[in-house]
Amino acid sequence: MKPKITDEIKELFTQGINWAKLQVEYLKLTAAEKLIIIVSVMVICVVVLLLLLPAIMMFLFALAQVFIGFMPVAVAYVCVGGIVLLALALLVLFRKYLIINPVAKFISRVLLENQDKKSSK
């Protein structure tokens, strides 16, 4: 009778070790997946910003050319600079609503997505 109990304990211990190893592998894969999603979104944002910067510059020069039609050249460029500074000030003023909250929501959705799926099963 004793050898049977010790064999069962050994089997249970072996299965526990195998389960722990599988859980560690699952954690690694989940962390890698979530890291890939976050890094890929960051790379896409950087590429989009780098492509948008020249377009924004061209639009600002075009706006300055429109202003040149009714004001001196220097004043037109100062007005466009003022518009850019105003937009920057609004971005800083509303950074919580425009930047911080969407980024926090995205990261929390990516990191907590798996827990939501588990709780719904």
Side-chain angles (χ1 to χ4, degrees):
M1 181 112 182
K2 269 194 173 189
K4 186 176 182 185
I5 292 175
T6 56
D7 288 340
E8 288 179 14
I9 291 174
K10 285 181 184 178
E11 179 68 27
L12 189 62
F13 186 71
T14 305
Q15 287 179 358
I17 290 175
N18 287 339
W19 176 81
K21 287 179 183 177
L22 289 174
Q23 287 298 321
V24 168
E25 287 299 315
Y26 177 72
L27 269 169
K28 287 180 187 177
L29 289 173
T30 304
E33 176 191 13
K34 292 176 187 303
L35 185 65
I36 288 170
I37 290 171
I38 291 172
V39 169
S40 65
V41 167
M42 287 173 45
V43 167
I44 288 172
C45 287
V46 167
V47 168
V48 166
L49 284 175
L50 287 176
L51 292 175
L52 277 179
L53 280 176
I56 291 171
M57 292 298 295
M58 292 300 152
F59 286 130
L60 291 174
F61 281 121
L63 183 62
Q65 289 298 319
V66 168
F67 285 167
I68 287 173
F70 11 98
M71 58 183 73
V73 176
V75 177
Y77 282 107
V78 169
C79 286
V80 171
I83 291 171
V84 170
L85 287 177
L86 179 65
L88 185 61
L90 288 174
L91 181 69
V92 169
L93 188 64
F94 295 112
R95 69 183 174 272
K96 184 175 182 180
Y97 304 107
L98 296 174
I99 298 171
I100 295 172
N101 286 348
V103 170
K105 187 183 288 187
F106 170 74
I107 290 176
S108 64
R109 185 173 35 117
V110 167
L111 294 178
L112 300 176
E113 174 184 328
N114 196 24
Q115 292 177 355
D116 293 340
K117 286 182 181 177
K118 281 185 179 179
S119 64
S120 66
K121 285 183 180 180

